[in-house]
Structure formats: structure tokens, C-alpha cells
Amino acid sequence: MISVEKLSASIGDKQILNNISFTVEPGECLLITGPNGSGKSTLLHTIMGRPDITATGSIKIRSGELIDIPCHERSQAGVFMAHQSPPAIDGINTMTLFKEIQKVQNVAGSTSELIKLTKSLFNWIGLPEGWEKRQFNNGASGGERKKNELTQAVYLQGKTQVLLLDEPDSGLEQSSRQKIIDLIQETKNRRGCVLLVTHDKELQELYSANKLDLSNA
Amino acid sequence: MNELEQEYTAGFTTNVESELTGRGLNESTVRLISAKNNEPDWLLEFRLDALAKLDIMTEPDWAELKYTRPDYDNIYYHSRPKKQFKSLDEVPQEILDDFEKLGIPLHERAKLAGVAVDAVFDSVSIGTTYKEKLAEEGIIFCSFNEAVQHHPELVKEYVGSVVPQGDNWFACINSAVFSDGSFVYIPEGKRCPLELSTYFRINSAGSGQFERTLIIADKDSYVSYLEGCTAPQRDENQLHAAVVELVALDRAEIKYSTVQNWYPGNEHGVGGVYNFVTKRAQCRGVQSRVSWTQVETGSAITWKYPSCILQGEGSIGEFYSVAVTKGHQQADTGTKMIHIGANSRSKIISKGISIGNSTMTYRGLVRMNPGAKNARNYTQCDSLMIGNNSRSNTVPYTDCRNDTAQIEHEATTGRVSDEELYYLATRGLDPESAASAIVNGFCRSVLNTLPLEFAAEANKLLSVTMEGSIG
């Protein structure tokens, strides 16, 4: 579960979120809605702990309070974010990143098992052959980057308590949408919770039972 | 990005009574050093000649470096432990412990396997390991001062032959007041069975280190040599102005690796070593070959351009460099490849990384002289900036005077943004691990050229360098 209380957030001297409170129970998905600029992405980044966001209030997950700990510790505590526009990173190839993730997140398995697993994940999500050897997201299209995010989300789903999905569908073909639905379902089955930001009408409808509207926040 | 307190693990001071003499850059200092070393007249003349040349020279100001000029008249040019030692057994435990802490055991029983070490503490060499074993092969590996005493003919023939006294301001100071250093001679046809290594340590406050290294590889010989450097953490700047001369005769090969970790100053840019070094190799013989490999992470200021004069026909010069600056460090470094002989070849691979508020400049010259028929050069210099305040410059000069010569140059510049570091943090990587992973990937092609024993050390050094440099 995740419990957010009186959360306010600003970037520089611009206040973006003001006094927001909500709780998502284990196995639930919360759809976050609101017009552009209402702070949907900022809310996810505030929970994730982006360093340039100043936040006050409380963000609690099963393992404790997050508000004062740095981003990488929140990640290690089980918060996963699929970014809306993930960057390309020169000097680090995709496989190296997976190895680093395996190390810091204490995921079991030998290197050869990891290579096998990630290759099959890339294949399943529809990323090109040899993807693991490429510099991370170098020359990748928007859609490929989104797929890369989903692959990592699936790789870490056993550890994830809180899954933050920031427009996971944009730029993806229709057939990939089902994979997002599967990922959400799998997270719910594992008693994790999901915070979803999306402009996709179908996904909005599917998860409309539990909504947080930021229009007036 | 905030600079955190940076840890410099070699910053301790050894408590040994030192004798500091030779204050100021003048004739009495020069005569004093020469007398202390019991030098022959020709060497005193060499020094005085340099001192005279200094009068008409000026400190270079063309590099991308901002620093307060050293007060040359207030530096002690000679510092040595008060007690003199005739052998390693007489070296005080404090100094041996000091080197031990740095991972350089000097005692017979703990010596590094396969590596012969000359340890230079402030201005004097305190001991050389495996000397006798090497002597059996006819290889001379000793301190510079010992070489002057026992092999004066070799020193006289080669010293200043690659870097003349008046080459540049810093080399000229060194030529006047150099105190000690290392000397290597590999006889014809010999392949040196051990890695040779010199370890430099500046300990005393207010002193400078001015060592000279001279390596001669006779025909058909081979040697691999490594130097390492550290200094205690002090608030004032320490001056290090070394000269390294390499001579490779016909078909000889010299591999020279440096792991430079002088104290870089604190997080506010106070203190740190000024590293002004002239390193040059002369590939004098046909098909001779010299490779410079450097991993540079220390010093407040670095001014250093290890170069090759490719005189012999078919000679080869190589320069592989990884340089990292962080905090307020500034480095202006690169290489020169001067092609004189026909069919000479050179290769330059340079990786520069700047973090925090630091500045990194690559400066290189490739010159093809009229006689350098069919000579070739390949240069690749890549720079990576981490965070949004670091700076990087690339200044490659090329000068081609032969139509058949080829020069190829590739360069890339990239920046690891705060956004990328945040992205990696969202995957659980703390800022240092994130930067370290990126830097290791970026440097791999150079690190792979280091001798195996030192590649591990260099990797470790790079990750230690990353620690606390990003917040």
C-alpha cells in the first residue's frame, strides 16, 4: 500500500502540488487524472524522489516513510517508475545497466541467467535483436524507450511494492497495450499497488474505479 | 549538483624528521643540491646552464588553467629524511609503513611479485627492490643519483637529449634543481623479466618534488614501466615538476604507464598538487616503439603532454589516456606525436571526464615532417562531462608537411546530465555507482591497454575517485 498525506511539492519557487492526501490499498490501481500541467507527472516524481523537487508532507509505504530518503533508496525499497520520456545514456550499455540493477536490487541469478532472461524479455516485448549490447536507449525511438521501461518493470516486478506508470502507452502500438494491462494485473496479484497516469481512453476506462483528480489541486 | 566531502585515501602525513634545504631558485640552491648528491662537475654545469636559461624564460600561460603562480623563491627545493640510509634495512618503519599503506611493500619478504619498485620519498630514493636480480641480466634499475655515481657515461650521454634544459619553463626548473628519480637501462636484446615501477610520494610541507626519470632501451630490448604518485592532504599547494625522458633504439619497445593520484585539494579548491610535468620519448631507432598509458585522477592542476618523437623509420608511438577531474581540479593534458621517420605510425586514444566544477582540456599536436613519408596517425579523443557545471575543451592541432602522410581524427563530446543520473537513481543506483558505471564503460578501451596488475588498481582508483564526487 501507499499512503500519501498532506503532500505539497515545488520546483524552484513554483508550487506544483498543494496538500494532497490519498491511500492506495495493496492490490489496487489508482488512476490519476487532470488536465496538462495539473501535476500528474510531478506527483509521480515526488513519490520517486526527484532531487530538484522540494516536498513536504508524508509518503508511507509498507517499509516506512519515504519523504526524507533519496531516490535510489526509494527504488531499493520497492518503488518503480516507468518514465514518460526516459533518457538515452552514453557510455553504458543496456546489459551493463541490467547487471547494475541486479546488483543494487539484490536480484538472484548468475550473469548468464540474467543475459538469457533479459534477451527473452526483449524478444517478448518486441525490441530488436542485439538490443542488450546497445548503448542505453541510444538512437532508440520513443516507442522503443517505452518498451525498455516495461522490460525493466517486468524484471523487477517481484520486488515492486509501488509501480508508478507515467503514460506507459504513448508511442506504443496497440498490441503492446495488453502487456501493460498484464503488468498491472501481475502487480495487483502480488499485492503491490499501481499509480497510473495515461491519456489512453481505453486504459482510463478500465481503471476508472479508483481515481484521483488533480484538476483542482 | 552538490559537492560532497571528498575522500582522499592517500592523504595521511608520515611523521619523519626531514631536512629541508635549498630555499629559493638560485645558484646556492643548485650548488647545494649538487654537492649533497656528490655530483661530478659536468652535472653541476648542466644544472647551472639550466638556471642561466631560466632568466630568459617565462612560465607558460597558454593552457586553460587558472592558478596562482607558485612563489618559486619560497619553495624548499630539497627535502630528505634527516637520517641517511645505506640500505632498505635502515629505512625507518614509518616510511616503510607509509608505502605499505599505499599498497607498495618494500621489504624483501613482502615484495610485490613480478614488480621491481624504486620508492622516492620527497627528494630521495629510499630503496629499490630486486636490484640484484635485474643486475644479473645486465639491467640497470636504480635511483638517478646512484646512476650518476655508477654509470656516469650513460647518464651523460642521454640526460637532456630528449628534453633539453631550455625546453620549457618547468623542465628548465627541473634541470636546475632536480633531486633524484629513477634510472633504467635495458641492454641490447634483453626483455626485462619484471615490471619496473617507481612510486613517488611528496611528504614534507612547503617543498616541491623535482624528479627526473631516464629510461634507455637498447636495440631489440623491451621494458614495461609504471609510476604511481600520491601526496598528503595539505592546505598549501605543493609543486611537482618532473622530467621523464625515454630513448628507444632500434626495434626496442618501452611501455610506460602512469597512475597519478596526487592530492587534488579539498572541496573548496584549497590545496592540492600542481603537477607540471614534461614527458617525452624519442623513438630513435628503426621500428622502435613507445606506448604511454596514463590514468590521471589527482592534482589540483595538471599540465602534462607525454609525447613521442618518431625519428626512426617505421617507429610507433601510442598514447592512451584516461583523465578525470572533479571538484575544482583543472587539467590541461594531451600528447604530441612528431613524425620524422618514414612509415612512422602513431595512435592517440584519449578519454577525458570532468565532474562537478572541474575543467578538462585535451590538447594535442600531430605533426608530419617533410621526411615522414607514408606516416600515419589516428586520433580519437572523447570527452564526457558529468553534471551541469563541469567544462571540457578539445584542442587538437595538426600540422602536415608531407603529402603522403595521413592524419585521422575523431572526437566526441557528451554530457551525463542530472536527468540521466536521476534516471539511474530510479533504478536504485546511488549517484557514485551511476557515475562510476558510466565512466567505466566510457574508459574501457584505454583501461584494457594497462598491464594486468595495474588495470585492477586503475579501476579501483576510478571508483574511489567517483566516491563522494557527486551529490
Side-chain angles (χ1 to χ4, degrees):
Chain A
M1 68 117 197
I2 179 167
S3 174
V4 169
E5 265 176 67
K6 295 182 181 160
L7 183 68
S8 296
S10 53
I11 300 172
D13 47 18
K14 194 177 170 207
Q15 175 135 25
I16 317 243
L17 301 173
N18 188 17
N19 212 20
I20 291 174
S21 301
F22 63 87
T23 298
V24 186
E25 298 296 335
E28 275 189 5
C29 175
L30 178 71
L31 179 69
I32 299 161
T33 60
N36 287 335
S38 60
K40 301 187 295 293
S41 286
T42 303
L43 174 60
L44 299 191
H45 286 297
T46 306
I47 293 169
M48 193 69 242
R50 201 172 78 193
D52 62 324
I53 299 177
T54 314
T56 56
S58 165
I59 305 165
K60 279 202 187 93
I61 64 171
R62 205 187 311 147
S63 53
E65 176 64 64
L66 298 180
I67 196 87
D68 289 325
I69 65 172
C71 174
H72 68 276
E73 289 179 19
R74 298 184 193 197
S75 161
Q76 290 169 8
V79 181
F80 184 93
M81 176 160 189
H83 291 250
Q84 185 190 352
S85 20
I89 305 178
D90 280 337
I92 194 163
N93 76 27
T94 308
M95 200 59 229
T96 308
L97 180 57
F98 268 88
K99 279 187 205 158
E100 291 288 331
I101 293 174
Q102 183 188 34
K103 198 165 73 189
V104 296
Q105 303 283 0
N106 287 317
V107 185
S110 66
T111 302
S112 58
E113 282 165 352
L114 177 69
I115 293 171
K116 227 179 183 172
L117 175 64
T118 47
K119 274 189 169 176
S120 70
L121 284 172
F122 294 142
N123 188 32
W124 159 81
I125 199 91
L127 283 167
E129 188 82 9
W131 178 263
E132 68 280 0
K133 289 183 200 137
R134 282 172 49 175
Q135 301 284 298
F136 190 77
N137 280 342
N138 193 323
S141 69
E144 284 174 327
R145 292 180 191 214
K146 285 296 171 65
K147 288 179 174 176
N148 210 354
E149 294 297 291
L150 290 177
T151 324
Q152 296 176 65
V154 171
Y155 177 65
L156 284 175
Q157 65 185 357
K159 275 210 63 174
T160 303
Q161 288 185 40
V162 179
L163 178 62
L164 308 172
L165 298 175
D166 195 357
E167 300 190 29
D169 49 85
S170 60
L172 284 185
E173 61 269 11
Q174 196 70 5
S175 61
S176 295
R177 187 194 282 127
Q178 188 55 43
K179 296 192 166 96
I180 297 167
I181 296 169
D182 292 345
L183 172 67
I184 293 173
Q185 191 55 47
E186 178 64 25
T187 308
K188 288 164 83 173
N189 293 347
R190 290 172 185 268
R191 312 273 303 150
C193 48
V194 183
L195 273 67
L196 173 66
V197 173
T198 179
H199 292 290
D200 182 288
K201 286 276 173 302
E202 252 177 75
L203 286 176
Q204 284 184 346
E205 227 159 86
L206 198 55
Y207 299 104
S208 60
N210 199 359
K211 260 204 291 199
L212 173 70
D213 188 358
L214 292 181
S215 300
N216 304 314
Chain B
M1 221 182 295
N2 297 320
E3 284 292 308
L4 296 179
E5 184 89 7
Q6 60 196 15
E7 291 265 344
Y8 179 72
T9 52
F12 53 87
T13 311
T14 308
N15 203 4
V16 164
E17 261 196 288
S18 292
E19 181 189 47
L20 280 168
T21 46
R23 188 174 181 177
L25 201 49
N26 50 47
E27 190 175 328
S28 66
T29 295
V30 169
R31 286 189 182 276
L32 179 117
I33 293 170
S34 189
K36 270 188 189 295
N37 292 343
N38 196 19
E39 283 171 358
D41 287 346
W42 61 264
L43 196 50
L44 176 62
E45 284 308 314
F46 177 89
R47 290 176 181 277
L48 290 171
D49 219 30
L51 189 69
K53 286 192 170 111
L54 263 182
D55 274 348
I56 52 162
M57 295 184 76
T58 48
E59 194 166 339
D61 59 1
W62 40 261
E64 284 286 330
L65 302 170
K66 290 190 186 79
Y67 62 97
T68 318
R69 300 275 146 115
D71 182 1
Y72 295 100
D73 286 329
N74 262 319
I75 292 171
Y76 287 99
Y77 288 87
H78 198 266
S79 158
R80 67 175 174 199
K82 265 197 175 147
K83 198 173 172 299
Q84 306 277 300
F85 340 109
K86 291 203 177 61
S87 76
L88 261 178
D89 297 335
E90 293 179 17
V91 175
Q93 200 55 40
E94 287 89 347
I95 295 183
L96 293 177
D97 287 350
D98 185 339
F99 279 97
E100 191 101 34
K101 262 191 256 180
L102 299 164
I104 320 287
L106 295 172
H107 262 312
E108 285 298 313
R109 55 183 186 281
K111 282 185 305 197
L112 295 173
V115 184
V117 180
D118 182 27
V120 178
F121 190 81
D122 286 342
S123 303
V124 289
S125 164
I126 58 155
T128 309
T129 60
Y130 290 114
K131 206 156 45 175
E132 292 76 21
K133 187 179 164 166
L134 291 167
E136 284 167 22
E137 305 266 344
I139 293 167
I140 304 169
F141 178 41
C142 62
S143 75
F144 196 90
N145 291 340
E146 268 180 273
V148 170
Q149 302 303 325
H150 302 300
H151 310 282
E153 68 301 335
L154 280 172
V155 178
K156 195 173 177 183
E157 183 179 349
Y158 289 101
V159 72
S161 71
V162 185
V163 180
Q165 294 123 305
D167 188 80
N168 65 72
W169 173 256
F170 300 112
C172 199
I173 292 180
N174 177 289
S175 301
V177 298
F178 73 90
S179 44
D180 206 344
S182 294
F183 177 85
V184 175
Y185 173 78
I186 313 290
E188 195 173 331
K190 279 284 173 205
R191 223 186 132 80
C192 186
L194 297 170
E195 296 273 351
L196 302 186
S197 158
T198 299
Y199 204 88
F200 295 104
R201 173 91 180 152
I202 304 178
N203 190 56
S204 295
S207 70
Q209 194 172 48
F210 307 90
E211 85 278 2
R212 245 187 132 90
T213 302
L214 176 57
I215 300 178
I216 303 140
D218 214 326
K219 289 174 188 171
D220 300 292
S221 69
Y222 167 86
V223 62
S224 171
Y225 183 92
L226 177 109
E227 63 169 7
C229 329
T230 58
Q233 227 154 321
R234 294 192 185 282
D235 286 343
E236 79 268 30
N237 295 107
Q238 286 170 301
L239 179 61
H240 175 250
V243 169
V244 175
E245 297 178 281
L246 312 184
V247 180
L249 301 181
D250 290 354
R251 295 168 302 278
E253 183 177 351
I254 302 174
K255 215 177 146 154
Y256 193 104
S257 314
T258 303
V259 175
Q260 187 264 109
N261 184 26
W262 295 118
Y263 177 55
N266 71 8
E267 69 273 27
H268 306 299
V270 176
V273 170
Y274 286 174
N275 192 31
F276 300 114
V277 173
T278 306
K279 292 182 165 176
R280 194 171 302 154
Q282 193 170 28
C283 290
R284 217 174 269 190
V286 296
Q287 289 162 40
S288 54
R289 179 176 193 151
V290 169
S291 310
W292 297 102
T293 300
Q294 57 172 23
V295 177
E296 301 271 326
T297 63
S299 300
I301 305 281
T302 299
W303 181 97
K304 181 180 166 187
Y305 317 90
S307 307
C308 294
I309 299 170
L310 300 164
Q311 188 181 340
E313 206 179 310
S315 58
I316 299 174
E318 291 166 314
F319 175 76
Y320 302 101
S321 170
V322 169
V324 185
T325 53
K326 63 178 181 178
H328 292 269
Q329 281 177 279
Q330 304 172 58
D332 194 299
T333 182
T335 184
K336 286 186 279 187
M337 293 291 174
I338 312 292
H339 290 256
I340 299 170
N343 300 311
S344 54
R345 282 180 289 151
S346 66
K347 187 171 166 186
I348 299 169
I349 311 274
S350 163
K351 306 276 182 175
I353 299 146
S354 47
I355 308 172
N357 295 307
S358 67
T359 307
M360 165 76 63
T361 301
Y362 169 83
R363 191 182 300 277
L365 167 68
V366 176
R367 192 164 87 203
M368 301 296 186
N369 274 15
K373 218 175 128 196
N374 293 321
R376 280 162 177 256
N377 160 266
Y378 172 76
T379 300
Q380 185 191 336
C381 57
D382 300 329
S383 52
L384 185 69
M385 292 167 275
I386 298 183
N388 298 336
N389 298 322
S390 54
R391 273 162 302 165
S392 162
N393 308 302
T394 303
V395 192
Y397 302 91
T398 51
D399 177 1
C400 189
R401 304 176 191 184
N402 184 304
D403 290 345
T404 61
Q406 286 181 32
I407 298 176
E408 217 179 314
H409 182 93
E410 286 179 27
T412 64
T413 302
R415 187 183 284 280
V416 181
S417 62
D418 291 349
E419 185 198 358
E420 289 164 52
L421 292 172
Y422 166 57
Y423 180 86
L424 294 171
T426 68
R427 297 298 176 257
L429 277 70
D430 62 86
E432 287 94 32
S433 312
S436 181
I438 293 171
V439 164
N440 271 312
F442 179 72
C443 302
R444 192 155 299 134
S445 61
V446 172
L447 295 179
N448 286 347
T449 65
L450 281 173
L452 200 59
E453 302 84 344
F454 304 123
E457 186 183 342
N459 269 318
K460 212 169 81 192
L461 181 61
L462 280 181
S463 49
V464 170
T465 303
M466 293 299 143
E467 267 173 35
S469 63
I470 295 148

